[in-house]
Each structure stands twice: as C-alpha cells, then as structure tokens.
C-alpha cells in the first residue's frame, strides 16, 4: 500500500520540504554463479562531480552512460557476481555530527545483462 508521511529522501523534494530515510544502506548478496554477465555496475562511483554539483546526478541519470544494456563495462565500478559475495554501501552522506543527510548520487547502480 501507499505509505503516509513525507516522501523518501531518494526522491527530489525541493527546498524546505522534509523527507524520510527509506533506505539507509543497501546490501546485495549473490546467490548464484552465472556463466557470463550479470555484473552490478556503478556508473558514477568515484566521480567527484557528484560532491560539487547536486544537479550532476540528474544529468547522469538522464544520460546514455546509465544505459547499462550498452555501457555496463564503461562504468566506473563493475562487480562480477560470484556465489556468496556480498556488496554493502551507504546511500546517504553523513554530516559532521554523524546525522544522515542527502542521498549520495554516486551510489547509482544497476544490473548488467546476463549473457
């Protein structure tokens, strides 16, 4: 069903609007081996432009670079699936007091096709 309350912080909320943390961190666990493909790609990992320009994340999401069907292996970070491997990442930045703040756009990720 539809949740009540402010939107998740992974949505654009605009100046002064409140949001709630819906996904503090993500853990992905690979259950199977695949012959080829199936990687998890992070097209913006390590891209410092995210830290300087909040609009850059939206530009990247709209760009061809995030079309992982064609550009999977050009991503900044590509993780090969192996049975039993786990990935863990935080989805938001923390302020100097350790409080959760805005979404870290560099965690944008997707799956590459299994071939």
């Amino acid at each position: 069903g539809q949740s009540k309350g402010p939107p998740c912080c992974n949505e654009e909320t605009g100046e002064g609007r409140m949001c709630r943390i819906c996904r503090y961190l993500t853990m992905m666990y690979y259950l199977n081996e695949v012959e080829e493909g199936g990687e998890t790609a992070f097209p913006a990992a390590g891209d410092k432009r995210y830290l300087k320009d909040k609009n850059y994340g939206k530009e990247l999401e709209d760009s061809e670079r995030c079309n992982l069907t064609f550009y999977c292996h050009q991503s900044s970070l590509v993780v090969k699936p192996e049975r039993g491997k786990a990935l863990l990442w935080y989805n938001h930045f923390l302020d100097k007091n350790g409080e959760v703040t805005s979404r870290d756009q560099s965690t944008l990720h997707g799956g590459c096709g299994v071939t």
Side-chain angles (χ1 to χ4, degrees):
Q2 189 82 346
S3 65
K4 295 182 180 179
C8 295
C9 290
N10 63 345
E11 301 171 8
E12 292 300 321
T13 58
E15 194 66 36
R17 288 187 57 200
M18 297 295 293
C19 64
R20 60 191 165 96
I21 304 300
C22 297
R23 186 184 299 176
Y24 177 66
L25 59 87
T26 299
M27 181 174 186
M28 182 179 294
Y29 186 76
Y30 294 102
L31 298 173
N32 300 310
E33 297 280 344
V34 295
E35 288 185 32
E36 193 172 336
E39 298 90 351
T40 301
F42 295 81
D47 192 332
K48 301 296 183 201
R49 290 175 283 188
Y50 279 104
L51 300 175
K52 296 176 184 170
D53 182 0
K54 288 191 170 203
N55 292 324
Y56 183 70
K58 181 66 176 143
E59 291 171 19
L60 179 64
E61 288 177 14
D62 292 341
S63 76
E64 284 294 311
R65 187 170 151 199
C66 282
N67 183 343
L68 297 179
T69 301
F70 299 106
Y71 297 102
C72 176
H73 294 98
Q74 284 80 21
S75 292
S76 304
L77 174 63
V78 179
V79 180
K80 180 179 179 178
E82 296 172 3
R83 185 174 187 213
K85 183 186 281 184
L87 304 177
L88 176 76
W89 65 89
Y90 291 94
N91 298 300
H92 295 267
F93 292 109
L94 299 178
D95 68 11
K96 63 183 177 182
N97 299 317
E99 297 292 322
V100 175
T101 62
S102 61
R103 186 177 83 164
D104 180 355
Q105 299 287 348
S106 68
T107 64
L108 177 71
H109 64 283
C112 304
V114 176
T115 55

